[in-house]
Amino acid sequence: QDLGLMGACENDIRSTVAMVVFGAMTKGRMGYISDPAVDSSRRAVSSAHCVATRKWFGPQGPTADYEILTHSEDRMGASVRSLAPLNYPCTTVQFHFTGSGGRGCVLVQEGRVIANDRDDRGCRTKMVVEVRGDNYENIYPHWQTFGWHRVTFVGDFKADVEKLAQKIGFQVLRED
C-alpha cells in the first residue's frame, strides 16, 4: 500500500472497488478498510483493522509513525499499526451494487481524526474519528446492506463522492 498498490483483506470486493475508485479520485491516496465501532462517549467512530497504509497521503507523501506487532487475534505473524495523522478531515465510503436495472448506492461519512487507539484488544490500527453530523449512530441501520467494512480516506472528499454518485446514477446515503 505504501507504493500505491492495492492491499485489501478478507476477499472484500466492495471495499476493493471503493479503494480503486476513490484512490484514483484522490490522486493515489490509499483507503483504509476497517470495521467501524461507535464510541458514544466521544460521539466518534473507531475504525479498526490490521491492514493499513503508512502513507495516508499517497505514495509520495510522508510515512506515518508505525509499529510492527503480531496479528492481534492470534498473536502470530506480523501486522503494522499505522498511526493516522491527527486533526485531519477524513471521508469514509462504501458501495452497494444492486441487481440489473436497480439503482446503486454510495455511503459517505465525514469526520476528523481525533486519536489513534493503542489498546491491545482488537485490531492493530484503530483510527478514532469524530463524526461531523449529529447522526453518528447511522452506521447501525446500514450494516445489513453495506456489510461490516468501510473505507476511509484522509481528506475531505464529500463533494467528489457526490459528483461521482451523480455521474454513475447512484444514490448518496449519509452516515453523519
Side-chain angles (χ1 to χ4, degrees):
Q1 286 182 313
D2 290 356
L3 299 173
L5 302 173
M6 197 58 52
C9 56
E10 299 174 8
N11 197 29
D12 184 344
I13 301 302
R14 282 194 295 189
S15 293
T16 301
V17 170
M19 289 178 76
V20 169
V21 170
F22 291 105
M25 287 175 57
T26 61
K27 298 182 178 29
R29 291 190 186 194
M30 295 308 306
Y32 168 49
I33 297 176
S34 63
D35 301 325
V38 173
D39 180 348
S40 57
S41 69
R42 294 194 265 191
R43 298 180 37 81
V45 171
S46 179
S47 298
H49 232 292
C50 286
V51 178
T53 185
R54 299 174 313 151
K55 299 276 195 168
W56 296 94
F57 298 98
Q60 306 309 318
T63 301
D65 290 340
Y66 66 95
E67 301 170 289
I68 299 175
L69 305 165
T70 58
H71 184 258
S72 182
E73 285 86 4
D74 58 16
R75 302 291 191 233
M76 298 175 67
S79 181
V80 172
R81 172 183 287 154
S82 179
L83 302 178
L86 298 179
N87 297 313
Y88 277 88
C90 60
T91 307
T92 300
V93 296
Q94 188 54 281
F95 284 111
H96 177 65
F97 304 99
T98 60
S100 62
R103 186 173 184 200
C105 299
V106 61
L107 172 145
V108 64
Q109 182 183 81
E110 296 177 273
R112 178 179 61 89
V113 181
I114 60 170
N116 289 284
D117 184 346
R118 291 186 176 204
D119 190 311
D120 197 44
R121 294 174 294 168
C123 299
R124 292 305 190 183
T125 299
K126 291 187 270 305
M127 172 195 294
V128 182
V129 175
E130 179 182 67
V131 178
R132 281 205 179 140
D134 293 331
N135 300 316
Y136 62 96
E137 293 177 332
N138 273 351
I139 288 174
Y140 294 129
H142 295 143
W143 275 348
Q144 199 99 20
T145 302
F146 287 93
W148 187 253
H149 286 157
R150 304 289 188 272
V151 183
T152 301
F153 293 84
V154 173
D156 182 354
F157 301 110
K158 178 189 84 161
D160 298 307
V161 170
E162 290 172 348
K163 284 179 195 171
L164 174 69
Q166 184 178 21
K167 280 187 177 185
I168 63 175
F170 274 33
Q171 175 185 6
V172 174
L173 293 177
R174 302 206 39 96
E175 277 194 328
D176 53 15

